[in-house]
Amino acid sequence: MSDLGSEELEEEGENDLGEYEGERNEVGERHGHGKARLPNGDTYEGNYEHGKRHGQGVYKFKNGARYIGEYVNNKKHGHGTFIYPDGSRYEGEWADDQRHGYGIYYYVNNDTYTGEWFAHQRHGQGTYFYAETGSKYIGTWVNGQQEGAAELIHLNHRYQGKFLNKNPIGPGKYVFDIGCEQHGEYRLTDMERGEEEEEEETTMMTVVPKWKATKITELSLWTPTLPEEQPPTDGPGPEEAPGTEGGGELSEEGQALADVSEGETDSMRPGEDDGDGSREEGRENFRYDTIDQGIVSFEEEESKQSELLE
């Protein structure tokens, strides 16, 4: 779900004084508590310091949006809540008029993002919860996109691995509630898509991740980091053989899982897009298939998972 665009709302500057009623200092500047009706129809009520919004205040836009929170030198800075015209809202930290620090964004479709922000974008550790499906993405974000180690949790299974540009990539595993794991790897594959229009004879290439399963095992403990201790040199007993066969593969999987950060046991789910018009982005219309080697719709996947669980 997009969190950009709706808040592209500029507040009146310090020179757009409008009508003011409130306290002033000895040189006549707005200073202390006051109310202002600005030339563009916006209103502000709160604290001023030397003619600028500074401290706690409420700024109401004429289109219905409003900000309730802290200001520093006429800019949103500190803790505050911004309610957008479409009903979505952000509650958290601000810096220099931008979402920055820790905050929660409540989307109009009931999705939520809880986590870190940097320069107005989801960046760092965060959890995205999809209200429509109950799924959540817990992991790393870079410039608003899912990227890095993460866990994608569905109702009866979860995927643990790495993401790049909102897509899973490299080694990972699916963990099923029935008590087994499917290990494998996502590989990027080019898929051709021809244009039907005669005047456009170009062929478009779309890169999609394809799942290649390698083995199914019993459940194993998933932790953010692997223990540094090496196995005893004596060698394992017969009952430990499953853990040592295919050592190269296990090492690769372990490394992928070791990269997962500690904040990943929170609650959330993946992906969205930039731009206010693409509000359906938050509801990903596909999920990553754990049975076939490819991508299927969420409905198809849930049906397959249900059959597997039965």
Side-chain angles (χ1 to χ4, degrees):
M1 194 76 188
S2 170
D3 54 28
L4 300 177
S6 59
E7 89 272 345
E8 303 299 329
L9 307 169
E10 295 186 1
E11 300 176 0
E12 289 285 79
E14 57 183 296
N15 296 323
D16 302 316
L17 299 179
E19 303 174 1
Y20 176 74
E21 178 183 325
E23 299 175 320
R24 297 179 181 271
N25 58 16
E26 58 277 4
V27 296
E29 296 175 321
R30 301 177 181 183
H31 194 88
H33 188 270
K35 299 178 182 179
R37 179 174 293 278
L38 306 170
N40 66 351
D42 296 348
T43 63
Y44 172 78
E45 179 175 359
N47 293 326
Y48 284 88
E49 187 172 290
H50 299 295
K52 297 181 180 180
R53 294 185 291 275
H54 193 95
Q56 195 72 22
V58 178
Y59 192 105
K60 296 181 179 179
F61 296 83
K62 61 181 179 181
N63 65 0
R66 63 187 181 276
Y67 171 78
I68 306 102
E70 296 176 288
Y71 281 91
V72 172
N73 292 327
N74 255 15
K75 294 185 176 181
K76 296 182 285 292
H77 194 97
H79 191 276
T81 298
F82 200 114
I83 302 173
Y84 301 102
D86 62 2
S88 61
R89 76 182 189 276
Y90 169 80
E91 298 178 0
E93 297 174 322
W94 295 79
D96 197 28
D97 260 349
Q98 295 185 321
R99 296 186 296 269
H100 192 94
Y102 182 87
I104 305 174
Y105 201 112
Y106 300 88
Y107 297 89
V108 68
N109 66 348
N110 293 322
D111 291 358
T112 61
Y113 171 80
T114 305
E116 297 175 303
W117 297 79
F118 182 86
H120 236 30
Q121 293 185 313
R122 297 179 291 272
H123 190 92
Q125 289 298 307
T127 298
Y128 193 98
F129 173 75
Y130 289 84
E132 184 178 12
T133 62
S135 299
K136 52 191 172 185
Y137 171 95
I138 304 173
T140 309
W141 298 74
V142 177
N143 296 326
Q145 304 294 330
Q146 298 152 10
E147 185 170 321
E151 185 174 22
L152 177 57
I153 303 174
H154 300 292
L155 295 180
N156 57 8
H157 66 283
R158 63 188 64 202
Y159 174 77
Q160 298 166 354
K162 287 187 176 180
F163 286 74
L164 179 64
N165 295 326
K166 303 187 299 180
N167 290 320
I169 187 171
K173 67 177 181 178
Y174 282 91
V175 181
F176 297 91
D177 291 352
I178 57 175
C180 66
E181 298 178 352
Q182 184 186 73
H183 299 254
E185 180 181 9
Y186 270 107
R187 301 175 181 176
L188 296 181
T189 307
D190 290 339
M191 177 181 294
E192 293 188 1
R193 188 176 70 235
E195 296 291 336
E196 295 182 359
E197 294 81 358
E198 295 181 359
E199 62 274 12
E200 297 185 14
E201 297 182 356
T202 58
T203 300
M204 300 181 63
M205 302 295 293
T206 303
V207 178
V208 296
K210 293 277 189 175
W211 174 248
K212 181 174 179 58
T214 58
K215 62 181 177 179
I216 295 178
T217 67
E218 296 180 352
L219 289 179
S220 61
L221 182 63
W222 182 65
T223 57
T225 56
L226 291 175
E228 297 181 358
E229 296 80 17
Q230 297 297 325
T233 55
D234 304 354
E239 67 278 3
E240 298 175 349
T244 58
E245 292 178 357
E249 289 184 71
L250 287 178
S251 173
E252 190 176 29
E253 293 164 13
Q255 183 60 43
L257 298 180
D259 292 334
V260 180
S261 57
E262 294 183 359
E264 296 173 357
T265 54
D266 305 339
S267 53
M268 100 202 285
R269 192 206 121 139
E272 307 129 23
D273 206 49
D274 294 337
D276 190 45
S278 56
R279 296 212 169 271
E280 296 303 317
E281 168 93 31
R283 304 182 184 127
E284 301 257 344
N285 55 9
F286 64 86
R287 294 297 177 270
Y288 309 111
D289 188 17
T290 62
I291 305 303
D292 296 335
Q293 297 178 12
I295 297 179
V296 298
S297 67
F298 182 78
E299 291 78 8
E300 292 178 57
E301 180 187 3
E302 289 303 307
S303 176
K304 290 182 179 181
Q305 303 305 337
S306 298
E307 293 176 4
L308 180 63
L309 293 175
E310 292 176 358

